[in-house]
Amino acid sequence: MSTATTTDSQPGPMHAADRHDLITVQGARVNNLKDISVEIPKRRLTVFTGVSGSGKSSLVFATIAAESQRMINETYSAFVQGFMPTLARPEVDVLEGLTTAIIVDQERLGANPRSTVGTVTDANAMLRILFSRLGDPHIGSPNAYSFNVPSVKASGAITVERGGKTKAEKATFNRLGGMCPRCEGMGSVSDFDLTALYDDTKSLSEGALTVPGYSMDGWYGRIFSGAGLPMDKPIGKYTKKELHQLLYAEPAKIKVEGINLTYEGLIPKIQKSMLSKDREAMQPHVRAFVDRAITFDTCPDCGGTRLAQEALSSKIKGQNIADLCSMQITDLADWVRKLDEPSVAPLVSGLQHLLDSFTEIGLGYLSLDRPSGTLSGGEAQRTKMIRHLGSSLTDVTYVFDEPTIGLHPHDIERMNQLLLQLRDKGNTVLVVEHKPETIAIADHTVDLGPRAGTAGGEVVFEGSVDGLRASDTLTGRHLDDRARLKDSVREARGALEVRGATTNNLQGVDVDIPLGILCVLTGVAGSGKSSLINGSVARREGVVVVDQGAIRGSRRSNPATYTGLLEPIRKAFAKANGVKPALFSSNSEGACPVCNGAGVIYTDLGIMETVESTCEECEGKRFQSAVLEYTLGERNIAEVLAMSVTEAEEFFGSGEARTPAAHKILDRLADVGLGYLTLGQPLTTLSGGERQRLKLATQMAEKGDIYILDEPTTGLHLADVEQLLGLLDRLVDSGKSVIVIEHHQAVMAHADRIIDLGPGAGNEGGRIVFEGTPAELVADRSTLTGKHLAAYVGA
């Protein structure tokens, strides 16, 4: 007996199931990774650091998270997999110890104009159920309160079986939806300026239509003539019937050259193809056309609430569902807290938890009716986090892409708490991050480098934060960098006057934004910085705005095509060889005939994943072999596109290949710190920070005197921030005015003047709480920004 007791008290050998405490990666070669191997501890917080373009996202997103998602997809039946996106296996030898990965990235939320903060987070669904139970008068099911569900009425004969006989009976059917019938749940009605659609002095065949994409050379010309429209008569001389046919005709089947097609009027066609998209998701030329041709007014029937009158008439405690959705979320949470209704207690507590999560994550200043397309990258990422905060799942791998983006130092502390909270529930948290405040809370760090692009892709350090600090890597050396306040600041040369600004939460703001210097706008997330710029400054003449919106481009787009660099290069090749410039485009005549200039061939294997293989004909070079025989400075076009910006700058700067127009663009790319990018790298592989700097390089060529940058330090390594500050100084010294919306203390310390908004977010913000130099802000310390900046510079 005693023996047994002593044996029991001794610790037994470790259970086999407890040995899987590491995620093991061996031989990762995705993008620029150079056959690297790492071991990541599970149920810990691991931060991945390194300069922008060093391979962090390639390791975390394109290798670990991608393989985890692919393996989950493989557990479904072949039938279900046929409906799912097909994922190729990442290039890696061994990946062990993976768990289910949940990716919380910076992609903006869907660009659907019907999507709001409430619909994205299920808060609207809960409110609709609440109203269908408690709303007075009672009008129907939750659908009756949804602005995405139209009302339907139907009547006709139905067949009824009774006593073995069938009999036809008359029946009517009603389903009440909440959609406002006039604006179709959009909240605004559009009015077309017809003069912006066509030039009435010209005929269709002379190119009267000024709508993007409507060329009479292609199918549109045939469709219009097939629909019976006079092609050679000026539109100004059309009869009423002809004009109606051109502009408003309902969809009708027509036959053109023996082919069945559908013809519909110009205005319904534009409404379907262009206005069904969010403005932010449109291509720049389409957006410019929409801004020019269409005016949006608040719907007179629903007053912009998107809801039908029945839904607005039903109330709980004197408030209808639209009133609740327009409240600031913190106020709505207080309203729900006072709701004492035992019949719906579980629903109310679920809604309460959801709304409190908004406040906890620092988004309490939003309202549920805010269109999701208007959220910044950081706000969108935190909105996605909300659904994971209350999750009962454990042993999940959460993958975050710079969760501190768009956050004031005051809010970063909150974000850190949330990351630790997820870890403490027993989850593995992987974070790609540049901010020292978040790197500091890591249990384990993996530093990639030593540089970016082809000079990166190696693990230069693995271990604790203290170990990273002591290491001689670029991140280690810069981890404790602290910017100094400038000894002297520049004097302003005039000012941009803003009077009575009331966009979103701004409370009648009057401010003179100084020009000719580096002016930084600060304040906690939601204090009104972007509202001030977008509402009162952005559309003025001479103002160039460089925002964080994604660059729209296919996998055929690359830095050379996006910046217009390929144009002078093609012309230089054509001139040197006496041939057409179109031969040197992989999207035109010079394309390899086998892969059509894509460089890869996609093999669709039905329900299995699509296989991507390098084209054997051109070996991934994208061009016909005959085109590659033409050279410029002893290099062919494929070799030029494989050069980095730095190499190309040297190549086109002198000698036989000297091309001043190309050199000018390359200079600007190097200026913004993109010297390591290769000219032919697909845009789809660029990180968020790289895309913004690519935009900046392109827009520096525009004729603007005032540059507005929205958080240009996004995705920038500590070492690159210095280079960015140098670039901003050069812009100011060349006579430009630079206004920066920024949370990074190094940029604040470098400013000539700071305008601080606050004091809080949402209703508690929207006022100017400080104007002056950084030194005055630090000495004053009356605002949240002042306190954090003082701590940062060690004052």
Side-chain angles (χ1 to χ4, degrees):
M1 183 77 180
S2 57
T3 334
T5 316
T6 47
T7 321
D8 286 351
S9 63
Q10 286 176 349
M14 190 185 199
H15 194 289
D18 295 330
R19 289 184 191 144
H20 307 282
D21 280 339
L22 293 172
I23 294 175
T24 308
V25 182
Q26 284 174 15
R29 295 177 299 281
V30 175
N31 297 334
N32 67 335
L33 298 179
K34 294 175 179 162
D35 206 14
I36 65 170
S37 299
V38 287
E39 288 192 334
I40 301 159
K42 281 193 191 171
R43 294 176 284 283
R44 296 290 180 272
L45 188 130
T46 302
V47 174
F48 294 80
T49 59
V51 293
S52 187
S54 61
K56 304 182 298 297
S57 297
S58 299
L59 173 61
V60 181
F61 290 93
T63 307
I64 298 170
E67 179 63 356
S68 173
Q69 291 204 310
R70 188 184 76 83
M71 292 179 110
I72 289 167
N73 286 5
E74 281 193 352
T75 62
Y76 298 112
S77 69
F79 173 74
V80 174
Q81 284 183 49
F83 296 99
M84 299 174 87
T86 50
L87 304 165
R89 188 179 188 282
E91 279 193 65
V92 59
D93 296 334
V94 177
L95 259 180
E96 282 176 354
L98 291 180
T99 68
T100 308
I102 292 174
I103 299 173
V104 187
D105 59 15
Q106 290 171 37
E107 284 299 311
R108 300 263 169 137
L109 285 164
N112 184 334
R114 296 185 184 285
S115 171
T116 64
V117 169
T119 58
V120 165
T121 56
D122 300 337
N124 259 38
M126 290 175 161
L127 276 177
R128 293 202 307 268
I129 297 169
L130 193 66
F131 270 84
S132 71
R133 301 284 187 277
L134 305 178
D136 183 35
H138 174 75
I139 60 166
S141 72
N143 281 341
Y145 299 92
S146 169
F147 53 76
N148 286 330
V149 178
S151 293
V152 178
K153 289 187 177 73
S155 59
I158 58 169
T159 307
V160 181
E161 287 190 20
R162 279 203 197 106
K165 293 178 183 171
T166 56
K167 187 179 164 193
E169 286 185 10
K170 227 177 153 189
T172 58
F173 166 75
N174 275 329
R175 184 188 71 189
L176 185 65
M179 180 187 282
C180 166
R182 176 145 181 195
C183 65
E184 296 185 10
M186 295 292 204
S188 61
V189 285
S190 52
D191 200 12
F192 284 78
D193 173 6
L194 299 182
T195 58
L197 298 186
Y198 56 79
D199 177 349
D200 64 2
T201 62
K202 292 181 179 173
S203 65
L204 285 176
S205 51
E206 287 169 343
L209 298 184
T210 51
V211 184
Y214 279 69
S215 150
M216 292 300 116
D217 303 338
W219 271 102
Y220 277 117
R222 301 180 208 175
I223 290 171
F224 283 131
S225 62
L229 287 167
M231 297 299 288
D232 299 315
K233 179 177 174 183
I235 292 181
K237 295 187 176 165
Y238 272 27
T239 62
K240 273 188 180 174
K241 194 175 175 186
E242 287 166 345
L243 195 59
H244 183 275
Q245 175 74 353
L246 173 67
L247 296 177
Y248 304 104
E250 294 286 319
K253 293 269 184 284
I254 60 169
K255 215 175 186 99
V256 177
E257 296 171 17
I259 299 166
N260 289 325
L261 294 167
T262 301
Y263 170 78
E264 68 180 317
L266 208 51
I267 285 176
K269 185 89 175 155
I270 291 172
Q271 280 172 324
K272 280 178 196 165
S273 64
M274 294 180 190
L275 302 191
S276 61
K277 283 189 190 148
D278 184 46
R279 185 181 171 279
E280 301 301 316
M282 294 174 185
Q283 290 175 301
H285 68 290
V286 176
R287 191 186 311 173
F289 163 74
V290 167
D291 289 346
R292 189 174 69 244
I294 298 154
T295 53
F296 294 96
D297 294 314
T298 304
C299 171
D301 286 10
C302 67
T305 60
R306 305 170 175 235
L307 290 160
Q309 289 309 310
E310 293 87 346
L312 295 174
S313 69
S314 180
K315 298 186 176 181
I316 301 174
K317 290 193 170 179
Q319 305 275 9
N320 64 29
I321 192 166
D323 298 332
L324 298 185
C325 287
S326 63
M327 277 184 191
Q328 186 167 305
I329 286 173
T330 45
D331 298 339
L332 177 57
D334 292 339
W335 185 88
V336 172
R337 208 169 275 119
K338 291 174 191 154
L339 204 59
D340 182 23
E341 292 287 346
S343 62
V344 286
L347 176 67
V348 171
S349 66
L351 181 58
Q352 184 68 60
H353 179 272
L354 180 63
L355 297 173
D356 287 343
S357 296
F358 271 101
T359 313
E360 209 177 306
I361 210 162
L363 292 176
Y365 58 86
L366 295 176
S367 60
L368 295 182
D369 62 2
R370 168 94 173 255
S372 59
T374 64
L375 298 181
S376 69
E379 286 170 333
Q381 190 178 21
R382 282 177 285 146
T383 303
K384 290 177 199 169
M385 270 184 84
I386 284 170
R387 58 179 44 177
H388 304 305
L389 291 179
S391 168
S392 313
L393 294 171
T394 61
D395 245 339
V396 170
T397 302
Y398 283 99
V399 188
F400 291 98
D401 187 7
E402 291 184 53
T404 58
I405 279 187
L407 287 186
H408 188 271
H410 170 70
D411 299 315
I412 290 179
E413 292 169 20
R414 263 180 174 171
M415 179 56 75
N416 284 350
Q417 288 310 311
L418 292 169
L419 295 173
L420 293 170
Q421 205 177 310
L422 282 173
R423 176 203 67 185
D424 294 345
K425 274 169 69 176
N427 298 306
T428 306
V429 181
L430 309 181
V431 183
V432 171
E433 191 49 89
H434 292 292
K435 291 271 170 74
E437 299 96 318
T438 300
I439 297 172
I441 64 162
D443 300 311
H444 186 74
T445 61
V446 177
D447 192 22
L448 282 104
R451 290 278 167 185
T454 48
E458 297 170 37
V459 175
V460 288
F461 175 82
E462 242 187 300
S464 67
V465 179
D466 290 335
L468 176 63
R469 200 172 265 121
S471 72
D472 195 33
T473 68
L474 202 57
T475 308
R477 289 200 297 275
H478 287 274
L479 202 53
D480 291 322
D481 274 9
R482 293 291 178 264
R484 286 187 316 110
L485 293 172
K486 286 202 294 198
D487 299 325
S488 62
V489 294
R490 304 177 184 93
E491 283 302 312
R493 302 191 311 270
L496 254 185
E497 285 189 9
V498 175
R499 295 290 177 265
T502 53
T503 309
N504 295 334
N505 66 332
L506 294 179
Q507 301 180 14
V509 167
D510 294 340
V511 65
D512 291 338
I513 299 173
L515 297 178
I517 59 172
L518 175 59
C519 174
V520 174
L521 256 65
T522 60
V524 293
S527 59
K529 303 180 297 298
S530 301
S531 301
L532 178 64
I533 292 300
N534 297 336
S536 307
V537 183
R539 288 183 181 82
R540 298 193 186 191
E541 206 177 323
V543 173
V544 177
V545 181
V546 186
D547 62 11
Q548 289 181 29
I551 291 173
R552 277 167 193 85
S554 66
R555 45 178 311 122
R556 285 174 178 271
S557 312
N558 53 45
T561 57
Y562 182 78
T563 56
L565 171 65
L566 207 53
E567 201 59 35
I569 290 178
R570 284 203 298 252
K571 283 179 181 163
F573 265 96
K575 192 176 174 188
N577 295 285
V579 289
K580 285 196 298 187
L583 277 178
F584 302 99
S585 165
S586 62
N587 296 331
S588 185
E589 290 179 29
C592 160
V594 177
C595 63
N596 292 327
V600 288
I601 289 176
Y602 301 101
T603 312
D604 190 4
L605 302 174
I607 58 165
M608 290 169 69
E609 67 188 47
T610 301
V611 176
E612 187 182 299
S613 52
T614 306
C615 171
E616 288 178 11
E617 176 72 20
C618 66
E619 295 174 343
K621 290 177 181 163
R622 301 179 168 208
F623 293 93
Q624 297 171 17
S625 50
V627 173
L628 299 180
E629 285 170 20
Y630 298 119
T631 60
L632 174 70
E634 296 179 10
R635 300 282 188 102
N636 65 33
I637 185 75
E639 288 168 334
V640 166
L641 289 175
M643 287 180 181
S644 69
V645 168
T646 316
E647 282 174 76
E649 199 179 6
E650 205 176 302
F651 179 71
F652 289 108
S654 57
E656 188 198 330
R658 188 171 175 274
T659 313
H663 192 260
K664 205 172 177 179
I665 297 172
L666 289 161
D667 260 354
R668 289 203 303 271
L669 285 170
D671 242 5
V672 296
L674 294 177
Y676 60 87
L677 280 191
T678 54
L679 305 186
Q681 184 175 337
L683 286 188
T684 46
T685 64
L686 299 191
S687 68
E690 286 168 337
R691 288 179 200 160
Q692 197 190 9
R693 298 204 297 290
L694 187 60
K695 273 190 189 178
L696 177 59
T698 311
Q699 291 181 315
M700 273 164 67
E702 287 191 24
K703 297 286 174 274
D705 300 318
I706 302 168
Y707 282 89
I708 295 176
L709 308 182
D710 186 3
E711 292 185 50
T713 58
T714 296
L716 273 193
H717 186 266
L718 298 157
D720 296 329
V721 172
E722 265 169 61
Q723 190 178 357
L724 176 79
L725 293 175
L727 170 67
L728 297 181
D729 279 342
R730 285 199 298 282
L731 278 172
V732 174
D733 294 340
S734 69
K736 309 282 186 197
S737 303
V738 180
I739 302 166
V740 182
I741 298 174
E742 192 51 87
H743 293 292
H744 201 297
Q745 291 107 318
V747 181
M748 293 180 200
H750 198 74
D752 296 309
R753 197 166 182 83
I754 285 182
I755 297 174
D756 196 15
L757 281 99
N763 294 346
E764 291 154 23
R767 295 194 293 276
I768 304 286
V769 289
F770 176 84
E771 285 180 80
T773 65
E776 288 165 359
L777 178 64
V778 167
D780 186 45
R781 290 189 207 199
S782 60
T783 70
L784 277 171
T785 308
K787 286 173 192 154
H788 282 279
L789 187 58
Y792 181 82
V793 297

